[in-house]
Amino acid sequence: MFYHDRRLQYKVRVDKPNPAFAKMLQQAIGGIEGEIRVCLQYLFQAWGSRGPVKYKNMLLETGTEEIGHIEMLATAVALNLEGATNSLKDEIVGSNPVVGAVMGGMDPRHFLSSGLAAMATDSNGVPFNGSWVVGSGNIAADMHANVMAESTGRVLATRLWEATDDHGMKDMLAFLIARDTMHQNQWLAVLEELGGATNNHPIPNSFPQAEENQQFNYSFVTTNIFKDQEAYGRWAEGPSIDGKGTFSMVPGEPMGDIPILPPPAPEGHAQAEQMTGAAGGLMDKIKNAL
């Protein structure tokens, strides 16, 4: 169950409304780096959590906090759109208002669809995509996904911070950037508590490594046709990060056969010319060449 406090988690102040910046803020709401993504990601991970209950509770608390961040950003979008109606009316007098709005950097849907309010979209107006939400049921895999989500979110927030000279917006973004700092460390702390790289990796650590192909489980395969060492680094020599193997660098070479598919199934109704056994003819040529 969720309870709502009408006050924002942190103050949101816009000194000078900017509809173009409101459009940019939409990325932090409904973009792949945005707050809807992390909110749903943490909540779905929590709702499906099995094992020690403290991880479920922590995920629930952080996912709920992210709802508050969506509210802050939605408020910021609305405040940045203040006065936009007048500019649109001015455009109506002299030209096409939609064209004028687009050329001016404003998303016309902020007026046409939402009445000067935020939407569950990114900065291009593309609706939020639930397929971005990661909840694998493996806590180590999920924590790595969470670090990535917070990392790209923090990158976005810092770019937004650089893109505005509005002191109120910089202050709000500084708060969100700080929370991203904490959450990155939070998910890494879970991985450390679970035993760090040596205990968690490879993920899942419940699968017996003896079943892996031992020739390739710690080999960096170079597909560079020049077979030089331009991609050589820590990943190509020495002990592996999980401490269970030794890195090596090997050339990529084909170990399988040329894939040959049988003729089309008659009920699939391919063209008659495809039914002539051309695949079989190609197979005969290959066999003869060998």
Side-chain angles (χ1 to χ4, degrees):
M1 182 174 290
F2 295 88
Y3 296 93
H4 179 243
D5 188 319
R6 292 191 300 273
R7 296 166 297 178
L8 295 172
Q9 183 185 11
Y10 189 79
K11 59 182 179 294
V12 176
R13 186 185 82 252
V14 174
D15 297 328
K16 184 178 180 182
N18 184 343
F21 192 63
K23 180 179 179 181
M24 296 176 70
L25 286 173
Q26 282 289 158
Q27 192 67 20
I29 294 176
I32 191 170
E33 313 93 342
E35 300 288 353
I36 294 178
R37 187 263 180 92
V38 290
C39 170
L40 292 180
Q41 183 155 306
Y42 305 157
L43 291 178
F44 272 96
Q45 288 176 8
W47 293 328
S49 178
R50 300 174 188 272
V53 71
K54 64 179 178 179
Y55 299 121
K56 177 175 184 175
N57 291 335
M58 178 193 62
L59 285 161
L60 281 172
E61 297 210 21
T62 305
T64 304
E65 178 189 359
E66 301 293 2
I67 300 175
H69 295 175
I70 300 169
E71 184 181 25
M72 288 171 56
L73 287 162
T75 302
V77 167
L79 292 176
N80 271 288
L81 291 170
E82 283 296 307
T85 50
N86 292 330
S87 65
L88 281 173
K89 289 175 183 176
D90 292 339
E91 292 290 345
I92 291 172
V93 174
S95 63
N96 185 309
V98 174
V99 173
V102 172
M103 294 301 292
M106 176 182 174
D107 184 348
R109 288 196 60 212
H110 273 150
F111 174 66
L112 299 173
S113 299
S114 67
L116 304 184
M119 298 176 288
T121 67
D122 67 11
S123 57
N124 289 322
V126 179
F128 174 76
N129 189 331
S131 67
W132 299 332
V133 173
V134 176
S136 70
N138 180 293
I139 190 170
D142 286 349
M143 291 304 110
H144 280 289
N146 293 351
V147 171
M148 185 281 292
E150 290 288 346
S151 299
T152 53
R154 192 173 191 273
V155 169
L156 172 63
T158 58
R159 290 171 178 168
L160 287 168
W161 189 92
E162 295 286 356
T164 182
D165 58 2
D166 187 288
H167 295 297
M169 286 292 89
K170 278 188 176 291
D171 183 50
M172 179 196 75
L173 289 165
F175 172 80
L176 294 176
I177 291 167
R179 296 310 298 152
D180 290 337
T181 296
M182 172 56 195
H183 293 155
Q184 286 183 42
N185 280 275
Q186 179 177 326
W187 309 133
L188 290 169
V190 174
L191 289 166
E192 180 182 274
E193 186 174 87
L194 293 172
T198 56
N199 187 62
N200 284 297
H201 296 85
I203 298 169
N205 61 6
S206 56
F207 183 83
Q209 279 199 269
E211 298 296 330
E212 295 177 352
N213 184 320
Q214 301 298 307
Q215 184 180 356
F216 292 98
N217 52 359
Y218 292 102
S219 298
F220 174 77
V221 176
T222 173
T223 54
N224 184 349
I225 62 172
F226 300 108
K227 300 190 185 306
D228 55 30
Q229 293 193 331
E230 289 298 311
Y232 185 87
R234 169 68 180 87
W235 52 87
E237 182 181 42
S240 61
I241 300 301
D242 60 17
K244 300 178 177 69
T246 302
F247 287 138
S248 64
M249 189 173 189
V250 299
E253 298 176 344
M255 293 177 290
D257 299 320
I258 298 175
I260 303 296
L261 299 180
E267 60 271 21
H269 294 289
Q271 291 299 93
E273 290 79 6
Q274 293 175 258
M275 308 287 192
T276 59
L282 179 58
M283 181 66 79
D284 291 337
K285 291 178 182 178
I286 296 172
K287 290 180 179 178
N288 292 336
L290 296 176

